Amino acid sequence: MGTVVVDVMPKPEILDPQGKAVASALPRLGFGGFTGVRQGRRFELTVEGEVTEAVLEQVRQAAVTLLSNPVIEDVVRVEAVADPSVADA
Amino acid sequence: MGTVVVDVMPKPEILDPQGKAVASALPRLGFGGFTGVRQGRRFELTVEGEVTEAVLEQVRQAAVTLLSNPVIEDVVRVEAVADPSVADA
Amino acid sequence: MGTVVVDVMPKPEILDPQGKAVASALPRLGFGGFTGVRQGRRFELTVEGEVTEAVLEQVRQAAVTLLSNPVIEDVVRVEAVADPSVADA
Amino acid sequence: MGTVVVDVMPKPEILDPQGKAVASALPRLGFGGFTGVRQGRRFELTVEGEVTEAVLEQVRQAAVTLLSNPVIEDVVRVEAVADPSVADA
């Protein structure tokens, strides 16, 4: 059983109200020195068998048809990870 | 100018309706072989200067106080990246 | 063709990091006098025919099985509206 | 203490991947007869005093500057409600 991570972010030229709210909240809560925040979505897809190149190609297609809106969002990562939710912690 | 990525995922024991919707939609759209999907959030925080250990420690604190709800979500990644939104594409 | 609106909100006792970020950002952007913000999700479901009681019952079931997580969220509204996205503007 | 509800929806011409995932999942879970789903955000803002016209005007401004991205989203509702989260259940 394998896991594929897909990260989707708003395109740089698209205003991101959720990221903007976080950016404005940080200094108020005592966190200084940040100049901007963007908020996107992270998906973890569990695969029945091994994560082959064919599986990754399926995920890449799903990423641009189902997981993101290519007009306003970029898929910034499609990658097999060894251990879901802790892989790159 | 540096960037720190924070990934937040629903805890494994928490039902995730958005991930469930994606998981149910995949086979209908012709994507087979997936047994589960979890949906979380990815943040990219831009930092004025270099990403020092002190900056990372600030982000770790912000991650559990502002960016996530520790009761239902795990912070699975806090990491400096060289290039925002394309770092690990 | 009819439309049903479903509103889902985090339960009052559940910490809501996205709402908290908005609440902290408001005074910084010049909006004072707000003591709290909660952020939930709003769904608009388009129905083939008329919105009958049977349709509403289906939506109520979908709301607690697919659209929300009943452990951490409340379905605060399931209602037929005359005109999607502008009904109660 | 009063509450103002703000509803934000993706503009009709904007592809909405989260709504699309829900729409594709519905028939698979036994819910038929739906032709489309859109997913937006609902905010509940708690106000210190009464919800006056001046407060509503502040919320209308916050809605288009902080709560939504006017390029891709519409604010479809800004309204005082008597009872948060249950007002129109």
Side-chain angles (χ1 to χ4, degrees):
Chain A
M1 210 179 72
T3 300
V4 183
V5 168
V6 176
D7 287 340
V8 171
M9 293 299 289
K11 282 182 190 290
E13 68 271 23
I14 296 286
L15 179 68
D16 164 20
Q18 307 198 109
K20 188 179 170 186
V22 172
S24 296
L26 282 169
R28 234 183 112 74
L29 299 174
F31 303 108
F34 299 95
T35 54
V37 178
R38 307 287 286 170
Q39 180 176 331
R41 297 194 300 284
R42 173 189 166 111
F43 299 88
E44 294 184 358
L45 293 84
T46 314
V47 181
E48 264 168 30
E50 231 177 309
V51 180
T52 60
E53 180 49 38
V55 167
L56 282 174
E57 186 49 37
Q58 274 225 328
V59 176
R60 275 182 215 113
Q61 284 177 37
V64 293
T65 53
L66 178 64
L67 306 181
S68 70
N69 177 351
V71 176
I72 54 172
E73 295 171 318
D74 289 323
V75 177
V76 299
R77 183 188 189 197
V78 174
E79 195 178 4
V81 296
D83 194 1
S85 278
V86 294
D88 35 28
Chain B
M1 207 180 72
T3 300
V4 183
V5 169
V6 176
D7 286 340
V8 171
M9 295 298 290
K11 282 182 190 290
E13 67 273 20
I14 295 287
L15 179 68
D16 164 20
Q18 306 199 109
K20 189 179 171 186
V22 172
S24 295
L26 283 169
R28 232 184 114 75
L29 299 174
F31 302 109
F34 297 94
T35 56
V37 178
R38 307 286 287 171
Q39 181 177 330
R41 299 194 298 285
R42 173 190 166 109
F43 299 88
E44 293 184 0
L45 293 83
T46 312
V47 181
E48 266 169 29
E50 231 179 309
V51 181
T52 59
E53 178 52 36
V55 167
L56 282 176
E57 187 48 37
Q58 276 226 323
V59 176
R60 276 183 216 112
Q61 284 177 36
V64 293
T65 52
L66 177 65
L67 306 181
S68 70
N69 176 350
V71 176
I72 55 171
E73 295 171 317
D74 290 323
V75 177
V76 300
R77 182 190 191 193
V78 174
E79 196 177 6
V81 297
D83 194 1
S85 278
V86 295
D88 36 25
Chain C
M1 209 178 72
T3 300
V4 182
V5 168
V6 176
D7 287 341
V8 171
M9 294 300 290
K11 282 182 189 291
E13 68 272 20
I14 296 287
L15 180 68
D16 163 20
Q18 308 200 106
K20 189 180 170 184
V22 172
S24 296
L26 283 169
R28 232 183 115 72
L29 300 174
F31 302 108
F34 298 94
T35 55
V37 178
R38 308 286 287 171
Q39 181 176 331
R41 300 194 297 287
R42 174 189 165 111
F43 300 89
E44 294 185 358
L45 294 85
T46 314
V47 181
E48 266 169 28
E50 232 177 308
V51 181
T52 59
E53 179 51 36
V55 167
L56 282 175
E57 187 49 36
Q58 275 226 325
V59 176
R60 276 183 215 114
Q61 285 178 37
V64 292
T65 53
L66 177 65
L67 306 181
S68 70
N69 176 351
V71 176
I72 54 171
E73 295 171 317
D74 289 323
V75 177
V76 299
R77 183 189 190 195
V78 174
E79 195 177 7
V81 296
D83 194 1
S85 278
V86 294
D88 36 26
Chain D
M1 208 178 73
T3 300
V4 183
V5 169
V6 175
D7 287 340
V8 171
M9 294 299 291
K11 281 182 190 290
E13 67 273 21
I14 295 288
L15 179 67
D16 163 19
Q18 307 200 107
K20 189 179 170 185
V22 172
S24 295
L26 283 169
R28 234 184 111 72
L29 299 175
F31 302 107
F34 298 95
T35 55
V37 178
R38 307 287 285 171
Q39 181 177 329
R41 298 193 301 284
R42 174 190 165 110
F43 299 88
E44 293 184 359
L45 294 84
T46 313
V47 181
E48 264 169 31
E50 232 178 310
V51 181
T52 59
E53 179 50 37
V55 168
L56 282 174
E57 187 48 37
Q58 275 224 327
V59 176
R60 275 183 216 113
Q61 284 178 35
V64 294
T65 51
L66 177 65
L67 306 181
S68 71
N69 176 349
V71 176
I72 55 172
E73 295 171 317
D74 289 323
V75 177
V76 299
R77 183 190 190 195
V78 174
E79 194 177 5
V81 296
D83 193 3
S85 278
V86 293
D88 36 27

